[in-house]
Amino acid sequence: MLMLFIRSLRVRRRGIAYDESIMYGIQTDVLKPGTTEEYVRYAFPLNNTTLLSSFTVCIRTKIIQYREVVPIFSYAFSDRADNALMMFQSRAQLDYYINDQKVSSGLNLRLDDRLFVWHLYCMVITHPAYWIYVDGKLLKEDRLTTPSTDIPLNGTLYIGQEQDRYDGGTDPDQTLSGFAAQFNFWDYVLEERTIKNLAGCLENLRGNVLSSDFATFDQPGVTSEIVPLQSLCTEEPMFVVFPLRRQVTGARIFCGILDGMFFVPEDEKTNNRLHEETNMFAEVCDFKSYRRLLLAGTDEEQEGVWVNFNTGKRLEFTSWFDGEPNNGKNDNCVVLRNDLPQWGDINCEYSNCFSCGMSSKNYFFIRGLCKPDEHRIRFIMDGYVNDRPYFRGYYGMAIFNVGEGTWVFKDTMANLTLATMTMEQPEEYPLGRTVWDVLEPFCDFAVGDKLRLGLSPCTIEEFMCSDGSCVPRNVRCNLREDCVDGSDENDCGIVLFSGRYASHRPPPGRTYREVLYIQPHVHIVRFSKIDDINLAFYMEFEVHLTWTDRNLKFKNIKEEEDKNKLSTEEVDSIWTPEIEFLNVNDGLLKKLKSNVYARQTGEAEPPDFNDAMMETVYLPNNVALVSKTFYSHSPATSTLFS
């Protein structure tokens, strides 16, 4: 009986089973700025005299919105020891304090910085050694330089806030927006195997000093619920429903532009969740019969064998309505009903609303701003505003529809609408390159300016087509249309002018105090005629003049020089050297052809992640200009180049 009683304590305490945990939702309204009024806090008794020099602290968190600093946990036992123990994340970097010293300084410990992903962080200390684990993997092992790490258990612990003094001094820009679970504190060193088991949800060992599953925490403004342990180690399927009517082919193309996949549920829970989410779009999507939403299933290859459109693998989960599928070879696609979370088969030529499957790896980049790092230009599709999917930035920016095809670009943290634009087709989305009207001054833009923004999943190794799809960067302006809309061959000029460029003035030499050096080359093509009587000859030749113009920049330069021909407008707008020939026989000099080319002499600049055009830019010292002029000429004695 005693053994059974002890086991029952292990299985269930405070109404929580061994395979369950309490999950806290902290500042989960991502359209609101950070606040110091919502937190999870535990105050140890002030008269507690326990000192710990060997211990383990673990916590699991999931970030859904970034702040300047994202505190994971913070423990303080006095105003001077406000960082007695602390872990925090800044972009993709993990930092931590032990005994009020920033031990991680200069280590540059990199993390998975995606949103909506659970991570388990563990700090293990037995003075002077310490270990930092993330998701069961050892991230850092080192030794402390402090004489001891005695931590008194009479302080305050905050989850999702950073203390700048004992039990206070919190900052709204240094808060967790997301979820936390499984905070556990042990007065001994956990074995690495145990930490790996905790990370993989194979074990749910609670802290013997403190456990968020058993202790009572202060949680003003914070939600909490009991969740299955395994839910903390699995990524719930993510999808976005689009109230657009498309055929299957159009739906697949649209999802591909989003770097997602045409979606079909793979389990009953997700299928029910998808159906429930479509209810808000009934007015748009329920336009005929029972059909509401296209799903990514087909039996087109083999009648009666239903496979995933994206993978070609047989569907392991289906939810057919009674009597479905029912129309043989004519109906090879799948639709979700409007009345029940069940399926029917339809003709693939029908147009319906659809959904795109996304993952935490899918995010967009907003280009054309002035952000200091690429992390701040990341956007995701997350939920709906005004019954339309919207784009949300990692750091509080948002792009959403306000009706009649009008979209706004908003700083939700400052509650400012920065810019607005209207799509030509009201049902479309502002993907690719679009032009916005600035409503509030920001970056270097003034009210009334036209702002060109690019929104797409394209990385800096790619070029963004006008519709938001992506092609390799090196196919830009290669004389072939690689974008479906051909936009990779638009605006293929080579020269980038500064605002003060003067074509009448020669550029400086290697420095602004030196004269410009021009390198001439003469290539004799042929002697077309020799006149023995008049002691003259006639020849055709090509003169190459090579120079560097330090007042210009260049874009999209190819290794093959002949592909870098400047347009007539560009040649007329830049300074070019002139050639004068002396002692020409009877004025017999003809210029047959003349072109100017750009020659790559060095590497391109690192891609500018803020550039909405996503051009490959070269500085002037990495590009030489070459004029190639073809002449027919009868010289007398000499030729002078100037």
Side-chain angles (χ1 to χ4, degrees):
M1 292 294 293
L2 179 61
M3 291 180 61
L4 290 174
F5 177 69
I6 292 174
R7 186 179 178 187
S8 69
L9 281 177
R10 179 177 181 270
V11 171
R12 185 172 293 276
R13 184 175 173 185
R14 196 186 157 197
I16 302 173
Y18 180 74
D19 58 354
E20 296 175 331
S21 189
I22 294 180
M23 180 181 72
Y24 296 93
I26 307 170
Q27 301 190 37
T28 55
D29 188 341
V30 294
L31 296 181
K32 289 184 178 180
T35 175
T36 60
E37 303 301 317
E38 298 179 23
Y39 54 83
V40 177
R41 171 184 175 274
Y42 183 83
F44 287 87
L46 291 175
N47 59 357
N48 193 334
T49 59
T50 304
L51 296 175
L52 295 181
S53 58
S54 294
F55 54 87
T56 302
V57 178
C58 290
I59 183 173
R60 197 183 298 269
T61 64
K62 177 167 67 173
I63 300 172
I64 63 173
Q65 174 84 42
Y66 272 95
R67 312 281 193 224
E68 291 298 320
V69 171
V70 180
I72 299 169
F73 71 88
S74 168
Y75 178 71
F77 58 83
S78 72
D79 287 349
R80 296 184 61 184
D82 57 312
N83 293 320
L85 294 174
M86 187 172 74
M87 269 190 175
F88 64 95
Q89 184 172 339
S90 178
R91 298 186 294 279
Q93 181 169 312
L94 178 68
D95 283 295
Y96 47 89
Y97 283 79
I98 300 174
N99 245 0
D100 231 40
Q101 290 192 355
K102 190 178 180 181
V103 185
S104 62
S105 182
L107 296 181
N108 194 28
L109 301 175
R110 310 305 290 175
L111 295 173
D112 177 359
D113 59 354
R114 294 173 294 159
L115 297 178
F116 297 105
V117 179
W118 283 106
H119 295 293
L120 181 75
Y121 305 87
C122 290
M123 176 185 289
V124 183
I125 298 175
T126 180
H127 190 270
Y130 79 88
W131 300 262
I132 301 295
Y133 293 87
V134 177
D135 296 332
K137 297 178 181 178
L138 180 63
L139 188 65
K140 183 63 180 177
E141 177 182 0
D142 209 341
R143 299 178 71 84
L144 301 168
T145 59
T146 54
S148 71
T149 52
D150 291 341
I151 301 294
L153 293 182
N154 58 1
T156 53
L157 168 75
Y158 278 79
I159 296 175
Q161 297 272 3
E162 189 266 329
Q163 304 173 80
D164 282 335
R165 65 174 187 271
Y166 171 72
D167 199 17
T170 52
D171 184 338
D173 289 330
Q174 299 180 7
T175 58
L176 169 67
S177 175
F179 298 90
Q182 293 183 299
F183 179 89
N184 289 294
F185 198 157
W186 297 268
D187 60 5
Y188 57 90
V189 172
L190 286 188
E191 295 181 355
E192 184 170 296
R193 181 179 61 181
T194 301
I195 292 176
K196 288 182 178 179
N197 287 341
L198 290 172
C201 294
L202 303 176
E203 193 172 343
N204 195 13
L205 181 67
R206 273 62 178 248
N208 66 336
V209 174
L210 182 66
S211 170
S212 59
D213 285 342
F214 294 159
T216 300
F217 282 68
D218 299 324
Q219 53 179 91
V222 172
T223 63
S224 61
E225 61 177 306
I226 298 175
V227 297
L229 177 64
Q230 288 302 317
S231 69
L232 305 177
C233 287
T234 55
E235 187 173 335
E236 190 174 61
M238 300 169 65
F239 55 81
V240 179
V241 177
F242 287 91
L244 293 172
R245 297 175 188 173
R246 294 285 188 274
Q247 293 180 346
V248 166
T249 301
R252 295 182 70 186
I253 292 173
F254 187 90
C255 293
I257 291 175
L258 300 178
D259 199 25
M261 290 194 299
F262 185 30
F263 187 67
V264 59
E266 296 183 353
D267 58 76
E268 185 176 3
K269 179 182 177 182
T270 304
N271 189 63
N272 292 340
R273 187 161 58 92
L274 175 63
H275 183 266
E276 182 178 353
E277 200 156 302
T278 63
N279 287 332
M280 72 175 74
F281 304 118
E283 185 176 343
V284 177
C285 298
D286 296 356
F287 68 101
K288 190 174 183 180
S289 184
Y290 66 89
R291 304 192 304 268
R292 173 171 288 178
L293 196 79
L294 293 174
L295 301 178
T298 181
D299 71 340
E300 197 163 17
E301 289 294 322
Q302 183 178 348
E303 184 63 30
V305 178
W306 293 90
V307 300
N308 187 307
F309 246 123
N310 307 298
T311 65
K313 295 181 179 179
R314 191 162 186 163
L315 295 177
E316 296 183 3
F317 168 80
T318 57
S319 183
W320 297 110
F321 186 68
D322 289 344
E324 299 280 1
N326 62 9
N327 202 21
K329 295 182 179 180
N330 294 323
D331 294 346
N332 296 316
C333 287
V334 185
V335 68
L336 181 68
R337 296 178 63 93
N338 55 23
D339 55 346
L340 294 168
Q342 293 183 324
W343 305 356
D345 61 338
I346 61 167
N347 191 296
C348 295
E349 298 300 316
Y350 286 140
S351 295
N352 281 89
C353 297
F354 60 94
S355 62
C356 298
M358 314 294 283
S359 79
S360 59
K361 297 179 181 179
N362 298 122
Y363 45 79
F364 302 84
F365 298 96
I366 184 78
R367 305 189 190 275
L369 303 177
C370 57
K371 299 301 181 181
D373 56 73
E374 195 173 39
H375 202 252
R376 295 174 186 272
I377 66 171
R378 290 185 186 179
F379 273 62
I380 59 172
M381 296 203 81
D382 176 39
Y384 310 90
V385 173
N386 299 326
D387 295 334
R388 294 283 293 274
Y390 82 109
F391 302 87
R392 175 170 70 83
Y394 268 32
Y395 288 84
M397 298 289 187
I399 297 174
F400 54 86
N401 187 277
V402 293
E404 302 299 325
T406 298
W407 292 78
V408 296
F409 179 42
K410 187 169 184 177
D411 181 348
T412 61
M413 300 299 102
N415 196 27
L416 290 175
T417 299
L418 303 178
T420 184
M421 62 88 63
T422 301
M423 301 294 296
E424 291 185 5
Q425 301 295 327
E427 72 275 8
E428 295 296 336
Y429 290 76
L431 295 165
R433 273 181 288 277
T434 50
V435 178
W436 297 68
D437 295 311
V438 176
L439 303 181
E440 293 283 346
F442 71 103
C443 290
D444 294 327
F445 308 113
V447 175
D449 283 353
K450 296 293 184 181
L451 168 63
R452 184 187 296 272
L453 293 179
L455 180 64
S456 77
C458 305
T459 68
I460 56 173
E461 285 78 31
E462 297 173 304
F463 175 77
M464 176 180 61
C465 305
S466 291
D467 64 358
S469 57
C470 313
V471 295
R473 181 178 278 265
N474 61 5
V475 305
R476 168 79 165 126
C477 294
N478 65 351
L479 305 181
R480 295 191 300 269
E481 292 187 351
D482 295 280
C483 293
V484 174
D485 59 11
S487 56
D488 57 311
E489 297 302 315
N490 295 339
D491 190 23
C492 282
I494 290 174
V495 180
L496 293 171
F497 293 94
S498 66
R500 300 173 59 186
Y501 187 82
S503 60
H504 66 279
R505 186 174 60 198
R510 290 179 301 174
T511 69
Y512 284 97
R513 295 182 180 274
E514 296 183 29
V515 297
L516 177 65
Y517 175 72
I518 301 173
Q519 184 177 11
H521 292 277
V522 179
H523 304 271
I524 297 175
V525 178
R526 70 183 181 120
F527 290 93
S528 58
K529 180 180 179 181
I530 297 177
D531 187 345
D532 295 332
I533 297 175
N534 295 311
L535 299 177
F537 62 89
Y538 300 83
M539 66 178 181
E540 294 175 359
F541 61 97
E542 192 172 43
V543 178
H544 293 186
L545 299 179
T546 304
W547 74 99
T548 299
D549 193 330
R550 294 191 57 186
N551 296 324
L552 297 174
K553 292 182 181 179
F554 304 87
K555 63 177 182 175
N556 303 315
I557 302 296
K558 306 302 179 186
E559 291 184 3
E560 303 90 340
E561 185 177 305
D562 289 345
K563 293 183 178 179
N564 301 326
K565 179 181 173 182
L566 273 64
S567 67
T568 302
E569 293 78 10
E570 288 176 315
V571 174
D572 291 341
S573 300
I574 67 171
W575 179 89
T576 54
E578 297 178 356
I579 304 175
E580 182 180 351
F581 295 90
L582 303 180
N583 301 327
V584 177
N585 270 340
D586 299 326
L588 297 176
L589 174 67
K590 293 182 180 179
K591 182 189 291 187
L592 303 179
K593 182 175 65 173
S594 182
N595 290 304
V596 178
Y597 298 85
R599 176 185 297 163
Q600 180 182 340
T601 60
E603 297 298 321
E605 287 295 283
D608 178 5
F609 57 80
N610 280 317
D611 179 17
M613 296 304 297
M614 300 189 73
E615 303 286 19
T616 302
V617 176
Y618 290 77
L619 295 181
N621 57 320
N622 290 325
V623 175
L625 289 169
V626 183
S627 71
K628 299 180 181 181
T629 308
F630 196 75
Y631 293 95
S632 174
H633 177 37
S634 177
T637 56
S638 63
T639 301
L640 175 68
F641 299 95
S642 63

